[in-house]
């Protein structure tokens, strides 16, 4: 749907005001918009072999992170169990 001339003029005024008031936010929004446009248009138009390689790398990286997290959780659980069992064994000894 096309914008009317009044709507476009108001949007330009808002944009100019935003740039004047908070240039950092304006730059971040500009960067975000560029990334979204590249992601939406670039991945489909340029061919997806490069995109598939990236997503496969991301998948592998996330798999490694998940595996490491599970290993850490398992280690913590085993450590806690050993500490509890050792405490129970020490408590059961007659003094």
């Amino acid at each position: 749907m096309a914008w009317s001339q009044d709507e476009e003029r108001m949007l330009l005024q808002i944009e100019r005001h935003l740039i004047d008031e908070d240039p950092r936010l304006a730059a971040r929004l500009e960067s975000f918009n560029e990334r979204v446009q590249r992601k939406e248009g670039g991945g489909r138009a340029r061919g997806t072999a490069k995109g598939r390689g990236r997503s496969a790398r991301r998948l592998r990286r996330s798999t490694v992170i998940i595996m490491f997290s599970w290993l850490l959780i398992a280690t913590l659980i085993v450590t806690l169990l050993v500490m509890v069992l050792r405490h129970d064994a020490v408590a059961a000894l007659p003094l």
Side-chain angles (χ1 to χ4, degrees):
M1 182 173 159
W3 297 95
S4 71
Q5 287 183 349
D6 289 335
E7 290 170 330
E8 284 186 30
R9 184 177 41 77
M10 287 178 12
L11 285 172
L12 286 173
Q13 287 176 348
I14 292 170
E15 182 180 2
R16 280 189 219 115
H17 181 71
L18 173 64
I19 291 170
D20 292 342
E21 289 294 312
D22 194 351
R24 277 183 55 202
L25 177 62
R28 290 176 68 189
L29 289 172
E30 178 84 23
S31 172
F32 175 77
N33 287 336
E34 288 172 2
R35 283 183 292 183
V36 168
Q37 287 175 351
R38 269 187 265 136
K39 189 174 184 178
E40 285 178 351
R44 289 184 215 131
R46 283 185 278 169
T48 56
K50 189 175 183 181
R52 268 188 261 133
R54 258 192 214 135
S55 64
R57 255 185 277 134
R58 263 191 220 126
L59 178 63
R60 279 184 261 143
R61 187 182 316 148
S62 63
T63 304
V64 169
I65 291 170
I66 291 169
M67 295 290 286
F68 180 75
S69 300
W70 279 109
L71 180 65
L72 183 63
I73 291 168
T75 304
L76 289 172
I77 289 172
V78 168
T79 303
L80 287 172
L81 284 173
V82 167
M83 289 173 61
V84 166
L85 293 174
R86 190 177 295 163
H87 178 71
D88 288 344
V90 170
L93 290 176
L95 295 175

